[in-house]
Amino acid sequence: MYTIDIPGQGELQLAHAVFDFNGTLANGGDLLPDLGPLLFRVSNLLPCVILTADSFGSAHNALKALPVRVEVVKTGKDKARFVEQLVGGVVAVGNGWNDYEMFTRADLSIVTGGPEGTAAKVLQVADIFVPNIYVALDLLLNPKKIIATLRI
């Protein structure tokens, strides 16, 4: 269990990290540069699951060297159902319209900017907005930054 004590909000207990693939971890189906080592470090803190429609058919191959689980889903509702069935707290990271419902089920949601843009709808429900996935992963690796952002 990964616990973050946020002043004014209490303890946030996380047991899983769930990521969108295209637009978040990848651009045009290709894993973003230098992302592997960061994902590997985060996977040492939390089991990582990548949820993707795999539009480019590249997710499994792009992530095969990393200790992450890849799940192919069709819709945002599928992402939400997946998050709901996980036991323990969930941090969800994504950028697209189909991440909206997943974000509403997660205990912590981080929306990223990036090369494929960010759906305005997810900005309405995300706990934290960051300019890119590198910053999102850095937050998870340095929880005091999450505390600084979310403290009341």
Side-chain angles (χ1 to χ4, degrees):
M1 189 70 64
Y2 183 75
T3 302
I4 305 169
D5 190 12
I6 303 171
Q9 294 200 46
E11 282 190 352
L12 180 61
Q13 296 187 352
L14 302 173
H16 306 275
V18 177
F19 298 89
D20 169 58
F21 184 64
N22 284 307
T24 302
L25 300 175
N27 182 20
D30 297 321
L31 191 65
L32 293 171
D34 303 320
L35 205 54
L38 287 170
L39 273 172
F40 191 89
R41 289 179 57 207
V42 170
S43 74
N44 286 327
L45 298 173
L46 292 164
C48 295
V49 180
I50 315 304
L51 298 180
T52 180
D54 205 13
S55 302
F56 298 94
S58 62
H60 283 88
N61 191 48
L63 297 163
K64 70 182 176 189
L66 297 171
V68 300
R69 175 177 160 193
V70 179
E71 292 287 332
V72 176
V73 295
K74 293 185 187 285
T75 68
K77 289 188 186 305
D78 294 336
K79 286 182 174 186
R81 279 191 287 273
F82 187 90
V83 167
E84 287 174 340
Q85 61 89 27
L86 293 173
V87 177
V90 175
V91 54
V93 183
N95 74 311
W97 187 280
N98 68 352
D99 296 320
Y100 178 87
E101 290 186 58
M102 173 176 74
F103 279 9
T104 65
R105 271 57 165 208
D107 298 274
L108 175 65
S109 56
I110 303 172
V111 64
T112 65
E116 294 184 14
T118 303
K121 183 173 178 106
V122 293
L123 293 169
Q124 299 168 354
V125 294
D127 295 303
I128 300 173
F129 168 76
V130 295
N132 57 58
I133 186 62
Y134 302 97
V135 175
L137 293 172
D138 182 62
L139 287 177
L140 294 175
L141 293 168
N142 298 286
K144 288 185 178 181
K145 293 180 180 183
I146 294 173
I147 291 168
T149 300
L150 295 180
R151 71 182 314 129
I152 295 177

